[in-house]
Amino acid sequence: LTERGVKAVNLFHLSNIRSLPQISVDDRKIGSEAGQHLEEQGARSLTYLGRGQSLQNKLRESGLFESARKAKYICRLHLETEVRQFEAIQNMRKPVGILCTSDQLARRLILKLREAKIEVGNEALVVGIGDEAVESIFAGIEISSFRLPAAAIGAIAAKKLEAQMVGANDISRENVAAELVARASSLPTRSARLATRAYRMAEDALSDPDFNIAQMARQMGVSRRTLELSLRGEFGESPYQLLSRLRWE
């Protein structure tokens, strides 16, 4: 491509092309943020559920385990089949925190755990990757998941292509963070679920200047005091502080 004068950006981070700028998801950070979140929710053991030993899986798994501070038991599931992986998870110390390589795999795990009478969101804390709403529907519980930064990667790629068009010689490598959207599958307490729901509601209402704390509490079906205690416990700020910060950002 470069010999023919074609401008290009490499978005496939598992390749080893050094002559083009590269933009990719920060897989190691996905693992580290998942580990931090799962430990904050009380996980006593951690594992990563993926297929094969691709670089992507290795980065996510290493990030997960390197972030571990409180979990006493870490299990690397390099087993041949999903059936054996699911069996191993059922026998891990509870609560067990599991990062799955996709929401589809998270959904299959949740259904297997339910068959084994293991309560998801309490005994098993499950996080997927991809933020696919349909998988939560089929799982029967809202799946915590990482929202992949496709739009952000596209915007950065466009800027790099534009720079190349005017002669820039950019072969840098850039990692873009995914966003963890915590939901019921990894939030064991009612307070945590309320705080996360309030946070998402505040984000969705940023374009409405009349949206206020009383309206938020009313829509959630809780008192203002309950709402404040939940947000302070999970995020260290009041509902007013949360709305003000999000609007300022």
Side-chain angles (χ1 to χ4, degrees):
L1 292 176
T2 53
E3 289 177 357
R4 294 178 177 273
V6 177
K7 310 304 180 185
V9 175
N10 179 26
L11 303 183
F12 185 59
H13 68 306
L14 303 183
S15 69
N16 197 30
I17 301 172
R18 301 290 180 179
S19 57
L20 294 174
Q22 177 177 297
I23 310 164
S24 58
V25 178
D26 193 336
D27 285 302
R28 189 182 296 276
K29 190 169 184 180
I30 285 178
S32 64
E33 288 194 5
Q36 181 179 351
H37 167 72
L38 292 167
E39 286 198 334
E40 286 173 351
Q41 303 309 315
R44 296 182 65 197
S45 56
L46 292 174
T47 193
Y48 178 76
L49 188 58
R51 297 173 178 172
Q53 285 296 291
S54 67
L55 176 60
Q56 183 182 63
N57 282 338
K58 289 179 180 178
L59 288 171
R60 291 172 177 175
E61 184 183 63
S62 64
L64 177 70
F65 294 154
E66 287 169 6
S67 71
R69 293 291 181 270
K70 300 175 184 177
K72 296 182 179 179
Y73 303 93
I74 292 173
C75 180
R76 287 178 165 83
L77 293 180
H78 299 163
L79 303 174
E80 296 83 6
T81 65
E82 281 186 9
V83 173
R84 291 190 61 190
Q85 291 176 335
F86 292 162
E87 289 174 350
I89 288 171
Q90 290 173 25
N91 294 322
M92 291 179 67
R93 193 172 292 267
K94 309 297 187 296
V96 52
I98 310 123
L99 173 60
C100 300
T101 192
S102 68
D103 284 353
Q104 183 184 60
L105 187 55
R107 182 252 304 165
R108 291 205 298 270
L109 171 63
I110 288 169
L111 296 178
K112 287 289 185 182
L113 292 171
R114 192 170 292 141
E115 288 177 7
K117 309 299 183 185
I118 295 174
E119 186 181 355
V120 176
N122 189 357
E123 297 173 280
L125 310 176
V126 181
V127 175
I129 298 172
D131 198 30
E132 300 179 43
V134 68
E135 298 299 345
S136 291
I137 294 171
F138 288 122
I141 187 172
E142 287 191 312
I143 299 174
S144 297
S145 185
F146 281 89
R147 184 175 294 154
L148 297 176
I153 288 175
I156 296 170
K159 290 180 180 179
K160 288 185 178 294
L161 288 170
E162 185 178 19
Q164 288 182 41
M165 297 295 288
V166 295
N169 183 26
D170 178 9
I171 55 171
S172 62
R173 304 168 74 87
E174 186 168 345
N175 290 325
V176 185
E179 176 192 2
L180 174 59
V181 183
R183 300 188 178 99
S185 70
S186 68
L187 296 174
T189 67
R190 178 175 181 267
S191 177
R193 291 193 289 271
L194 279 175
T196 303
R197 185 181 167 200
Y199 192 98
R200 293 204 299 269
M201 186 179 293
E203 285 185 316
D204 293 340
L206 289 179
S207 60
D208 181 2
D210 298 323
F211 186 77
N212 56 44
I213 310 304
Q215 192 176 346
M216 178 188 290
R218 186 167 56 252
Q219 289 183 16
M220 294 181 65
V222 298
S223 67
R224 292 184 61 160
R225 179 62 175 164
T226 297
L227 178 60
E228 176 152 356
L229 288 174
S230 296
L231 283 170
R232 285 194 181 279
E234 292 301 313
F235 302 118
E237 56 188 355
S238 69
Y240 176 79
Q241 289 170 327
L242 171 65
L243 274 175
S244 299
R245 177 174 60 80
L246 290 175
R247 283 170 174 162
W248 178 257
E249 291 175 351

